[in-house]
Amino acid sequence: MLRFLFTRIASAIPVLAILSLVTFAIIQAPPGDYADYIRSQLINQGGASFAEADAQAKAYRIEHGLDKPLPVQYLNWIGGIITRGDFGYSLYYNKPVADVVGERLPRTLLLALVCHLLASVLGITFGIWAATRQYSWIDSTLSAISFLGMTVPRFLMALIIVYLLVFQFNVSEIGSFFSPQYGGAPWSWAKFVDLVKHVWPVVAIATFGGLAYNMRVMRGNLLDTLNAQYVETAKAKGLTGSAVVMRHAVPNALHPLVMYQGVVLPYMLTGEIETAIIFALPTVGPAIVGSMAVGDVYVTATFMMVLSATLIVGNIIADMLLVLLDPRVRQFGER
């Protein structure tokens, strides 16, 4: 098991290095940088002439190394990460990138994990329920829910919920994790309840989409597995229906969903972009969009690196879960 794990980690390091290079190049590809953003702000809002604004933009570009060639900027950025743990300085937020990531990533990860756990547990449960009651009203109802969850855009669901909360229920506290009185207060049950009141729309929307996918995949795989020969053999031996389903069919039907865990973490992190923007929550999604809009390249590159790392970590976790679920995977990986 340890050898299998170390092999996966060792193979992930060069992949992460290549992803960092490609990510940095793609982010730098569009014309313009943060100095251009400063110049436009000085002209449009500061009333400066083009020459004055351009001179300040050039000075800012030289001061922060934005005038250097792209390879030099990349080496300075990646070298700072490796040698000093320095991800650069955020030009837009006016603070180290590590502070920006540290403020937004933990709460985003917590939201993503909560949504993922709810979507997995409910989706798998509903998928088993629908497959074992094929063509019944329960199966039809759950299939309709699955169809809605996979087709209705998240931003549309978010807009509908915002409309209902603001205009129908007169809710004014939208756009934060806590009410003002709980912002800096120590953790308590009342603060936790207040947090749930603020984030439940995001959790509900993200969970609904993931639940629909898990339920659809679990239902289809379980129906195929229930028709397999070894399941018929288990039934012929006298095992009850629930024992056949839970002990023999479900573990094998779970394989595609376990493999899906390799990509679900970055999907959950980025899947809240539309919802978080509409609800104005300070999470990773709005930070990526905002930094790209103003050319804050180090923030964008770092967040994209984080997403790449979560994709690699997710695939390693999926491999380990498959090893635990099916020993044949371990035997193949150790060859």
Side-chain angles (χ1 to χ4, degrees), residues 191-271:
K191 185 174 182 178
F192 174 76
V193 172
D194 185 71
L195 173 64
V196 173
K197 290 180 180 178
H198 283 77
V199 302
W200 74 262
V202 178
V203 173
I205 293 171
T207 299
F208 187 47
L211 178 152
Y213 175 85
N214 289 325
M215 180 170 62
R216 190 177 186 88
V217 173
M218 187 65 194
R219 178 187 179 276
N221 292 335
L222 188 55
L223 286 175
D224 290 338
T225 305
L226 289 173
N227 294 323
Q229 185 175 0
Y230 67 90
V231 174
E232 297 296 332
T233 302
K235 293 179 180 178
K237 290 181 178 180
L239 293 178
T240 61
S242 59
V244 171
V245 171
M246 300 308 298
R247 290 173 55 185
H248 296 276
V250 169
N252 288 285
L254 282 173
H255 283 203
L257 287 177
V258 172
M259 294 175 63
Y260 172 65
Q261 308 310 305
V263 297
V264 71
L265 187 54
Y267 171 76
M268 294 300 297
L269 288 177
T270 57

Side-chain angles (χ1 to χ4, degrees), residues 66-326:
L66 299 178
D67 61 323
K68 293 181 171 57
L70 178 58
V72 176
Q73 293 187 45
Y74 170 76
L75 291 176
N76 290 337
W77 175 63
I78 204 69
I81 295 176
I82 296 174
T83 59
R84 304 185 304 274
D86 181 12
F87 292 87
Y89 194 81
S90 172
L91 309 176
Y92 180 73
Y93 293 101
N94 196 27
K95 62 176 67 175
V97 174
D99 293 345
V100 179
V101 175
E103 291 172 357
R104 293 173 178 263
L105 185 60
R107 63 186 65 162
T108 307
L109 278 173
L110 185 60
L111 270 178
L113 290 175
V114 169
C115 296
H116 175 53
L117 289 175
L118 289 174
S120 297
V121 173
L122 294 177
I124 292 173
T125 302
F126 289 160
I128 296 173
W129 202 14
T132 53
R133 293 163 176 80
Q134 189 179 17
Y135 302 131
S136 66
W137 69 269
I138 295 177
D139 184 24
S140 301
T141 302
L142 293 177
S143 296
I145 293 174
S146 174
F147 176 78
L148 290 175
M150 297 186 69
T151 55
V152 178
R154 294 187 178 188
F155 75 88
L156 178 60
M157 289 190 284
L159 288 173
I160 293 173
I161 292 179
V162 167
Y163 172 80
L164 292 176
L165 290 177
V166 174
F167 295 100
Q168 301 299 322
F169 298 100
N170 298 320
V171 176
S172 59
E173 294 179 354
I174 291 180
S176 62
F177 283 96
F178 300 101
S179 300
Q181 65 268 28
Y182 292 107
W187 277 103
S188 62
W189 177 252
K191 185 174 182 178
F192 174 76
V193 172
D194 185 71
L195 173 64
V196 173
K197 290 180 180 178
H198 283 77
V199 302
W200 74 262
V202 178
V203 173
I205 293 171
T207 299
F208 187 47
L211 178 152
Y213 175 85
N214 289 325
M215 180 170 62
R216 190 177 186 88
V217 173
M218 187 65 194
R219 178 187 179 276
N221 292 335
L222 188 55
L223 286 175
D224 290 338
T225 305
L226 289 173
N227 294 323
Q229 185 175 0
Y230 67 90
V231 174
E232 297 296 332
T233 302
K235 293 179 180 178
K237 290 181 178 180
L239 293 178
T240 61
S242 59
V244 171
V245 171
M246 300 308 298
R247 290 173 55 185
H248 296 276
V250 169
N252 288 285
L254 282 173
H255 283 203
L257 287 177
V258 172
M259 294 175 63
Y260 172 65
Q261 308 310 305
V263 297
V264 71
L265 187 54
Y267 171 76
M268 294 300 297
L269 288 177
T270 57
E272 49 81 42
I273 288 180
E274 315 99 298
T275 309
I277 289 175
I278 292 174
F279 283 92
L281 291 178
T283 54
V284 165
I288 294 177
V289 176
S291 61
M292 292 182 68
V294 300
D296 197 355
V297 62
Y298 295 117
V299 172
T300 307
T302 300
F303 274 125
M304 298 304 292
M305 278 286 291
V306 169
L307 293 179
S308 300
T310 56
L311 177 61
I312 293 173
V313 171
N315 277 287
I316 293 176
I317 293 175
D319 288 340
M320 300 307 297
L321 291 175
L322 281 175
V323 167
L324 295 175
L325 191 63
D326 191 344

